[in-house]
């Protein structure tokens, strides 16, 4: 008999129903600019296929985001952690965004037209998990080139493929 040492994380995942590798991702974003503080903006929401995987004990979701008006796309890789959410975009947009409650993180937002300094001041971050679904919710203030640009909310819902989202 061959004995293979497994991490506690791997054992824990085997004990409960595992989310499948193929997933559906619903991304919902709401932005309000400082000038429109009294206006409630209509959320922008997309549902796209994605992939859930574990690498070096860390959990990831990967999906493609298509910018239809510009006929370009970016691959988003989301690193899941109960206290920190990390989103890496590569393609038409290149950026590493880190959301950590009560912290401000800076990065460069790369576009086909050049780079912009971006600040993300996260005011709240929650992650709720069940056997079949992961819900993430982030509220943050967005800065571009040192100026407050918008107050934002980002929601990610990840479900096993074949599941359906409630509207």
């Amino acid at each position: 008999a061959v004995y293979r040492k497994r991490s506690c994380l791997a054992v824990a995942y085997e004990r409960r129903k595992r989310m499948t590798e193929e997933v559906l991702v619903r991304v919902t974003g709401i932005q309000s600019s400082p000038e429109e503080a009294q206006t409630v903006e209509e959320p922008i929401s997309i549902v796209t296929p994605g992939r859930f995987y574990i690498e070096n004990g860390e959990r990831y979701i990967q999906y493609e985001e298509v910018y239809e008006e510009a006929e370009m796309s970016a691959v988003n890789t989301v690193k899941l952690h109960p206290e920190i959410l990390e989103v890496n975009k590569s393609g038409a947009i290149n950026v590493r965004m880190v959301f950590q409650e009560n912290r401000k993180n800076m990065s460069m937002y790369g576009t086909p037209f050049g780079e912009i300094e971006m600040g993300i001041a996260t005011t709240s971050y929650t992650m709720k998990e069940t056997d079949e679904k992961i819900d993430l919710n982030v509220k943050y203030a967005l800065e571009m080139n040192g100026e407050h640009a918008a107050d934002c909310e980002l929601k990610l819902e990840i479900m096993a493929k074949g599941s359906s989202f409630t509207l």
Side-chain angles (χ1 to χ4, degrees), residues 85-143:
L85 177 66
E86 186 177 320
V87 179
N88 289 294
K89 293 179 180 263
S90 60
I93 303 295
N94 293 292
V95 66
R96 178 177 176 260
M97 299 181 292
V98 178
F99 302 92
Q100 188 174 11
E101 197 165 323
N102 300 317
R103 301 248 349 231
K104 180 177 175 181
N105 290 287
M106 304 297 292
S107 64
M108 295 305 289
Y109 187 83
T111 73
F113 310 104
E115 288 191 334
I116 302 168
E117 183 183 66
M118 183 172 74
I120 297 172
T122 306
T123 55
S124 108
Y125 169 60
T126 58
M127 177 173 152
K128 294 179 185 172
E129 220 174 325
T130 66
D131 290 341
E132 300 297 325
K133 186 176 180 185
I134 301 171
D135 285 317
L136 306 163
N137 192 329
V138 182
K139 293 182 180 177
Y140 61 99
L142 177 66
E143 289 182 3

